[in-house]
Amino acid sequence: MNQKDMTILDHIEELRKRLMIVVVFFVLAVIVSFFLSQPLIKWLQHASIAHDITMNAFRVTDPFKVFMQMAFVLAFMMTSPVILYQLWAFISPGLLEKERKVTLSYIPVSVTLFLAGVLFSYFVLFPFVIRFMLGLSGNMEIQTTIGINEYFHFLFQITIPFGVLFQLPVVVLFLTRLGIVTPALLRKVRKYAYFILIVVAAFITPPDVISHMMVTVPLLLLYEISIWISKIGYKKVLAAEAEQERALNEPQ
């Protein structure tokens, strides 16, 4: 059925079907994550970043809480391709055939960027922040006792949002192909976007200038890359529209 022929009830039913598929895959991913969480938690505890840190459980439930957090984070990461595909499948009937193929290719790119953001924040940003905090404690002659729950909560607080923010170029390109945003619009709202990204970086990082700059600079670069990518995508949109108009005007 063409999307134009679908009623509001048809759209709601289609959305419900897509959400049910996502829920089923997420539950299966959670079950798989139960077997992966404990080995991964152990590996992260013995990684070089945490080599000099002794993690403590201040509550009886802390190990279980960390275990469940890790399981749900892993499940979300495993389900993300399914979520993106179902989103594409819900929107794709309203796209041209060429646009469907192009936007479908965004899914692996989006997953790759998410993993790149997580890895960048874990191997570059997170170690710097940990060393900074421990060094500050040492300079102030404060004995730092780190709870395992607080450590992993801090880890997720930095890595997951950074992985999501790395999606910016793909999101902008997708919205450009849908005709929702244009390069001119992105340039026009640049100062507001910069302000929002600076605020987001402040929420992700601790209150020190260096850590804040280590997050802010990549985000601002991502925005500029997004404008450049949007420009390329917009030219293709205009070319596709011109081609479609020529096809309609050709004599039968």
Side-chain angles (χ1 to χ4, degrees), residues 16 94 99 115 117 155 186 192 199 222:
R16 187 191 68 84
E99 290 176 331
L115 293 176
L155 174 63
L186 293 174
Y192 304 108
V199 172
L222 277 174

Side-chain angles (χ1 to χ4, degrees), residues 106 170-182:
Y106 295 167
V170 175
V171 173
V172 168
L173 182 57
F174 185 67
L175 294 177
T176 301
R177 295 305 293 259
L178 294 180
I180 298 175
V181 301
T182 63

